[in-house]
Amino acid sequence: MDEGRDPDDERGGRRPVGRAPGSRERILAAAAALIAEDGATARLSVRAVASRAGVSVGSLRHHFPTQQALRDEVMRRVSDWLLPESELDDDGAAPHDRLVARLRRVLDLAGTGADSREAMTALISSFVAVEPSAAVREAHLATQRDSRRRLEGWLGELAADGALPAKDVPRAARFLETVLNGLALQRALPAADGQAQVEAEVLDAAVDAVLTGAAAED
């Protein structure tokens, strides 16, 4: 059998255009459903996902050789659904303004008021107030990898435009991720009036540190 072909497709032939989703999409839908039902730390066992998707274990392994690969793709799909790149119509903006606007879009996913408290409570329940098992660790790392993927992609665009050296992208992504995490936590805590202004100042300072610091090194 051709190693590039899905074993389920080998048995059933090619899927006609316009018919039901292929095995890869069914696998992703099944994994996403398990996470929705059991929480972010749901264990995506090969047999459970394959059974839910109605595909063979061989088909699942063909598309996703490891659980990490499967979870990473699910997280990427969710992230891209929540914040589509097509909505980031800011190519004409200055590098500083473009990056600040995109970071604010990410921060806004945390919500405000009761929404932010609910989101932070869920995060703590899933990853802090539990034993750091292998499943918990992998679920958190998958979320972190997706966050870094997006940030590094945005910073890579700016690096291509000469706003910062390409070698600084991974470090800058880690720094900005830490800033966003801190601001998301701050949203969930009781705060004085003027929190929006504080957030704006922090994001401005963080982006300045990334871009100005890069310019200083040159």
Side-chain angles (χ1 to χ4, degrees):
M1 181 178 69
D2 184 350
E3 291 184 358
R5 294 284 299 278
D6 183 333
D8 284 358
D9 290 342
E10 288 286 341
R11 289 193 296 272
R14 292 187 176 180
R15 177 172 56 91
V17 174
R19 296 293 296 277
S23 57
R24 188 174 192 275
E25 293 303 314
R26 297 203 307 273
I27 290 166
L28 288 170
L34 288 171
I35 291 174
E37 292 170 3
D38 300 336
T41 59
R43 182 169 178 268
L44 301 180
S45 74
V46 172
R47 293 191 181 281
V49 175
S51 175
R52 182 75 171 252
V55 303
S56 67
V57 169
S59 177
L60 190 150
R61 288 297 193 193
H62 169 80
H63 292 293
F64 303 101
T66 65
Q67 288 187 25
Q68 176 178 319
L70 175 58
R71 191 179 290 272
D72 282 352
E73 180 60 15
V74 172
M75 294 307 301
R76 186 188 71 79
R77 293 286 186 95
V78 171
S79 176
D80 289 347
W81 175 69
L82 290 172
L83 189 58
E85 292 289 338
S86 61
E87 293 184 2
L88 301 174
D89 186 18
D90 55 7
D91 291 341
H96 177 280
D97 296 341
R98 189 193 319 175
L99 187 53
V100 167
R102 293 186 177 193
L103 294 176
R104 180 166 292 286
R105 291 285 299 277
V106 174
L107 182 58
D108 285 345
L109 294 176
T112 58
D115 289 339
S116 64
R117 291 192 294 275
E118 182 179 351
M120 188 57 63
T121 298
L123 182 70
I124 292 172
S125 297
S126 296
F127 300 117
V128 179
V130 294
E131 287 297 319
S133 66
V136 169
R137 182 175 182 275
E138 179 50 38
H140 171 67
L141 291 178
T143 303
Q144 187 179 68
R145 284 190 295 269
D146 186 72
S147 172
R148 298 259 177 94
R149 172 190 67 84
R150 184 177 287 273
L151 289 171
E152 288 183 5
W154 291 343
L155 290 165
E157 292 176 12
L158 297 181
D161 292 340
L164 76 160
K167 66 180 179 62
D168 289 349
V169 166
R171 181 182 63 181
R174 291 193 298 271
F175 168 66
L176 292 176
E177 180 184 44
T178 301
V179 171
L180 289 173
N181 287 341
L183 289 175
L185 175 60
Q186 190 64 44
R187 282 193 175 193
L189 295 171
D193 293 338
Q195 181 62 25
Q197 180 61 32
V198 171
E199 285 185 359
E201 292 173 356
V202 170
L203 288 177
D204 275 336
V207 172
D208 279 342
V210 168
L211 301 183
T212 307
E217 289 182 7
D218 291 342

Coordinates of all heavy atoms in Angstrom, one line a residue, residues 26-75:
R26 N -12.8 14.1 10.2 CA -13.6 13.4 11.2 C -12.8 13.1 12.5 O -13.3 13.2 13.6 CB -14.2 12.1 10.7 CG -15.1 12.2 9.5 CD -16.0 11.1 9.3 NE -15.3 9.8 9.2 CZ -14.8 9.3 8.1 NH1 -14.9 10.0 6.9 NH2 -14.2 8.1 8.1
I27 N -11.5 12.8 12.3 CA -10.6 12.6 13.4 C -10.5 13.9 14.3 O -10.6 13.9 15.5 CB -9.3 12.1 13.0 CG1 -9.3 10.7 12.4 CG2 -8.2 12.2 14.1 CD1 -8.1 10.3 11.6
L28 N -10.3 15.0 13.6 CA -10.2 16.3 14.3 C -11.5 16.7 15.0 O -11.4 17.2 16.1 CB -9.8 17.4 13.3 CG -8.3 17.3 12.8 CD1 -8.2 18.3 11.6 CD2 -7.4 17.6 13.9
A29 N -12.6 16.4 14.4 CA -13.9 16.7 15.0 C -14.1 15.9 16.2 O -14.6 16.3 17.2 CB -15.0 16.5 14.0
A30 N -13.7 14.6 16.1 CA -13.9 13.7 17.3 C -13.0 14.1 18.4 O -13.4 14.1 19.6 CB -13.5 12.2 16.8
A31 N -11.7 14.5 18.1 CA -10.8 14.9 19.2 C -11.3 16.2 19.8 O -11.3 16.3 21.1 CB -9.4 15.1 18.6
A32 N -11.8 17.1 19.0 CA -12.4 18.4 19.6 C -13.6 18.1 20.5 O -13.7 18.7 21.5 CB -12.7 19.3 18.4
A33 N -14.4 17.2 20.1 CA -15.6 16.8 20.9 C -15.2 16.2 22.2 O -15.8 16.5 23.2 CB -16.5 15.8 20.1
L34 N -14.2 15.4 22.2 CA -13.7 14.8 23.5 C -13.2 15.9 24.4 O -13.4 15.8 25.6 CB -12.6 13.7 23.2 CG -13.1 12.4 22.6 CD1 -11.9 11.6 22.2 CD2 -14.0 11.7 23.6
I35 N -12.4 16.8 23.9 CA -11.9 17.9 24.7 C -13.1 18.8 25.2 O -13.1 19.2 26.4 CB -10.9 18.8 23.8 CG1 -9.7 18.0 23.6 CG2 -10.6 20.1 24.6 CD1 -8.7 18.7 22.6
A36 N -14.1 19.0 24.4 CA -15.2 19.8 24.8 C -16.0 19.1 25.9 O -16.5 19.8 26.9 CB -16.1 20.1 23.6
E37 N -16.0 17.8 25.9 CA -16.8 17.1 26.9 C -16.0 16.9 28.2 O -16.6 17.0 29.3 CB -17.2 15.7 26.3 CG -18.2 15.8 25.2 CD -18.4 14.4 24.5 OE1 -17.7 13.4 24.9 OE2 -19.1 14.4 23.5
D38 N -14.7 16.6 28.0 CA -13.9 16.2 29.2 C -13.0 17.3 29.7 O -12.3 17.1 30.7 CB -13.1 14.9 28.9 CG -14.0 13.7 28.5 OD1 -15.2 13.7 29.0 OD2 -13.5 12.8 27.8
G39 N -12.9 18.4 29.0 CA -12.0 19.5 29.4 C -10.7 19.5 28.6 O -10.4 18.6 27.9
A40 N -10.0 20.6 28.9 CA -8.7 20.8 28.1 C -7.7 19.7 28.3 O -6.9 19.4 27.4 CB -8.1 22.1 28.5
T41 N -7.8 19.0 29.5 CA -6.8 17.9 29.7 C -7.3 16.5 29.3 O -6.7 15.5 29.7 CB -6.5 17.9 31.2 OG1 -7.7 17.7 32.0 CG2 -5.8 19.2 31.7
A42 N -8.4 16.5 28.5 CA -8.9 15.2 28.1 C -7.8 14.4 27.4 O -7.0 14.9 26.6 CB -10.0 15.4 27.1
R43 N -7.8 13.1 27.7 CA -6.8 12.2 27.1 C -7.3 11.7 25.7 O -8.3 11.1 25.6 CB -6.6 11.0 28.0 CG -5.5 10.0 27.5 CD -5.1 9.0 28.5 NE -4.1 8.0 28.0 CZ -4.4 6.9 27.4 NH1 -5.7 6.5 27.3 NH2 -3.5 6.1 27.0
L44 N -6.5 12.0 24.7 CA -6.9 11.7 23.4 C -6.3 10.4 23.0 O -5.4 10.3 22.2 CB -6.5 12.8 22.4 CG -7.0 14.2 22.7 CD1 -6.5 15.2 21.6 CD2 -8.6 14.2 22.7
S45 N -6.9 9.3 23.6 CA -6.3 8.0 23.2 C -6.6 7.6 21.8 O -7.7 8.0 21.2 CB -6.9 6.9 24.2 OG -8.3 6.6 23.9
V46 N -5.7 6.9 21.2 CA -5.9 6.5 19.8 C -7.2 5.8 19.6 O -8.0 6.1 18.6 CB -4.7 5.6 19.3 CG1 -5.0 5.1 17.9 CG2 -3.4 6.4 19.4
R47 N -7.5 4.8 20.4 CA -8.7 4.0 20.2 C -10.0 4.8 20.4 O -11.0 4.7 19.7 CB -8.7 2.8 21.1 CG -7.6 1.8 20.7 CD -7.7 0.5 21.4 NE -6.6 -0.4 21.0 CZ -6.6 -1.1 19.9 NH1 -7.6 -1.0 19.0 NH2 -5.6 -1.9 19.6
A48 N -10.0 5.7 21.4 CA -11.2 6.5 21.7 C -11.5 7.4 20.6 O -12.6 7.6 20.1 CB -11.0 7.2 23.0
V49 N -10.4 8.1 20.1 CA -10.6 9.1 19.0 C -11.0 8.4 17.7 O -12.0 8.8 17.0 CB -9.4 9.9 18.8 CG1 -9.6 10.8 17.6 CG2 -9.1 10.7 20.0
A50 N -10.4 7.3 17.4 CA -10.7 6.5 16.2 C -12.1 6.0 16.2 O -12.8 6.1 15.2 CB -9.7 5.4 16.0
S51 N -12.5 5.5 17.4 CA -13.9 5.0 17.5 C -14.9 6.1 17.3 O -15.9 5.9 16.6 CB -14.1 4.3 18.8 OG -15.4 3.9 19.0
R52 N -14.6 7.2 17.9 CA -15.5 8.3 17.9 C -15.6 8.9 16.4 O -16.7 9.3 16.0 CB -15.0 9.5 18.8 CG -15.9 10.7 18.9 CD -17.1 10.5 19.7 NE -17.9 11.7 20.0 CZ -17.9 12.3 21.1 NH1 -17.3 11.7 22.2 NH2 -18.6 13.4 21.3
A53 N -14.5 8.8 15.7 CA -14.5 9.3 14.3 C -15.0 8.3 13.3 O -15.3 8.7 12.2 CB -13.1 9.8 14.0
G54 N -15.1 7.1 13.7 CA -15.5 6.0 12.8 C -14.4 5.7 11.8 O -14.7 5.4 10.6
V55 N -13.2 5.7 12.2 CA -12.1 5.4 11.3 C -11.2 4.3 12.0 O -11.4 4.0 13.2 CB -11.2 6.6 11.0 CG1 -12.0 7.7 10.4 CG2 -10.5 7.1 12.3
S56 N -10.3 3.7 11.3 CA -9.5 2.7 11.8 C -8.3 3.4 12.6 O -8.0 4.6 12.3 CB -8.9 1.8 10.7 OG -8.0 2.6 9.9
V57 N -7.7 2.6 13.5 CA -6.5 3.1 14.2 C -5.4 3.4 13.2 O -4.7 4.4 13.3 CB -6.0 2.1 15.2 CG1 -4.6 2.5 15.8 CG2 -7.0 2.0 16.3
G58 N -5.3 2.6 12.1 CA -4.3 2.9 11.1 C -4.5 4.2 10.4 O -3.5 4.9 10.1
S59 N -5.8 4.5 10.1 CA -6.1 5.8 9.5 C -5.7 7.0 10.4 O -5.1 8.0 9.9 CB -7.6 5.9 9.1 OG -7.9 7.1 8.6
L60 N -6.0 6.9 11.7 CA -5.6 7.9 12.6 C -4.1 8.1 12.7 O -3.6 9.2 12.6 CB -6.2 7.6 14.0 CG -6.1 8.8 15.0 CD1 -7.2 8.7 16.0 CD2 -4.8 8.7 15.8
R61 N -3.4 7.0 12.7 CA -1.9 7.1 12.8 C -1.4 7.6 11.5 O -0.3 8.2 11.5 CB -1.4 5.7 13.1 CG -1.6 5.1 14.5 CD -0.9 6.0 15.5 NE -0.8 5.3 16.8 CZ -0.5 6.0 17.9 NH1 -0.2 7.3 17.9 NH2 -0.5 5.3 19.1
H62 N -2.0 7.4 10.4 CA -1.6 7.9 9.1 C -1.6 9.4 9.1 O -0.6 10.1 8.7 CB -2.5 7.4 8.0 CG -2.3 8.0 6.7 ND1 -1.2 7.7 5.8 CD2 -3.0 9.0 6.1 CE1 -1.3 8.5 4.8 NE2 -2.3 9.3 4.9
H63 N -2.7 10.0 9.6 CA -2.8 11.4 9.7 C -2.1 12.1 10.8 O -1.5 13.2 10.7 CB -4.3 11.8 9.7 CG -5.0 11.5 8.5 ND1 -4.8 12.1 7.3 CD2 -6.0 10.5 8.2 CE1 -5.6 11.6 6.3 NE2 -6.4 10.7 6.9
F64 N -2.1 11.4 12.0 CA -1.5 12.0 13.2 C -0.7 10.9 13.9 O -1.2 10.1 14.7 CB -2.6 12.5 14.1 CG -3.5 13.5 13.5 CD1 -4.7 13.2 13.0 CD2 -3.0 14.9 13.3 CE1 -5.5 14.2 12.4 CE2 -3.8 15.8 12.7 CZ -5.1 15.5 12.2
P65 N 0.6 10.8 13.6 CA 1.4 9.7 14.2 C 1.5 9.7 15.7 O 1.8 8.7 16.3 CB 2.8 10.0 13.5 CG 2.5 10.8 12.3 CD 1.3 11.6 12.7
T66 N 1.3 10.9 16.3 CA 1.4 11.0 17.8 C 0.2 11.8 18.3 O -0.5 12.5 17.6 CB 2.7 11.7 18.2 OG1 2.6 13.1 17.8 CG2 3.9 11.1 17.6
Q67 N -0.1 11.6 19.6 CA -1.2 12.3 20.3 C -0.8 13.8 20.3 O -1.7 14.7 20.2 CB -1.4 11.8 21.7 CG -2.0 10.5 21.8 CD -2.4 10.1 23.2 OE1 -2.5 11.0 24.1 NE2 -2.5 8.8 23.5
Q68 N 0.5 14.1 20.4 CA 0.9 15.5 20.4 C 0.5 16.2 19.0 O 0.0 17.3 19.0 CB 2.4 15.6 20.6 CG 2.9 17.1 20.5 CD 4.4 17.2 20.8 OE1 4.9 16.6 21.7 NE2 5.1 18.0 20.0
A69 N 0.8 15.5 17.9 CA 0.4 16.0 16.6 C -1.1 16.3 16.5 O -1.5 17.3 16.0 CB 0.9 15.1 15.5
L70 N -1.9 15.4 17.0 CA -3.3 15.5 17.0 C -3.8 16.7 17.8 O -4.5 17.5 17.4 CB -4.0 14.2 17.4 CG -5.5 14.3 17.5 CD1 -6.2 14.6 16.2 CD2 -6.0 12.9 18.0
R71 N -3.3 16.7 19.0 CA -3.7 17.8 19.9 C -3.3 19.2 19.4 O -4.0 20.2 19.5 CB -3.2 17.6 21.4 CG -3.8 18.5 22.4 CD -3.2 18.3 23.8 NE -3.7 17.0 24.3 CZ -4.8 16.9 25.0 NH1 -5.6 17.9 25.2 NH2 -5.1 15.7 25.5
D72 N -2.1 19.2 18.9 CA -1.6 20.5 18.3 C -2.4 21.0 17.2 O -2.7 22.2 17.1 CB -0.1 20.3 17.8 CG 0.9 20.4 19.0 OD1 0.5 20.6 20.1 OD2 2.1 20.1 18.7
E73 N -2.9 20.1 16.3 CA -3.7 20.5 15.2 C -5.1 20.9 15.7 O -5.7 21.9 15.1 CB -3.8 19.4 14.2 CG -4.7 19.7 13.0 CD -4.2 20.9 12.1 OE1 -3.0 21.3 12.3 OE2 -4.9 21.4 11.3
V74 N -5.6 20.3 16.7 CA -6.9 20.7 17.2 C -6.8 22.1 17.8 O -7.6 23.0 17.5 CB -7.4 19.7 18.3 CG1 -8.7 20.3 19.0 CG2 -7.8 18.4 17.7
M75 N -5.7 22.4 18.6 CA -5.5 23.7 19.1 C -5.3 24.7 18.1 O -5.8 25.9 18.2 CB -4.3 23.7 20.1 CG -4.5 22.8 21.3 SD -6.0 23.2 22.3 CE -5.7 24.9 22.6

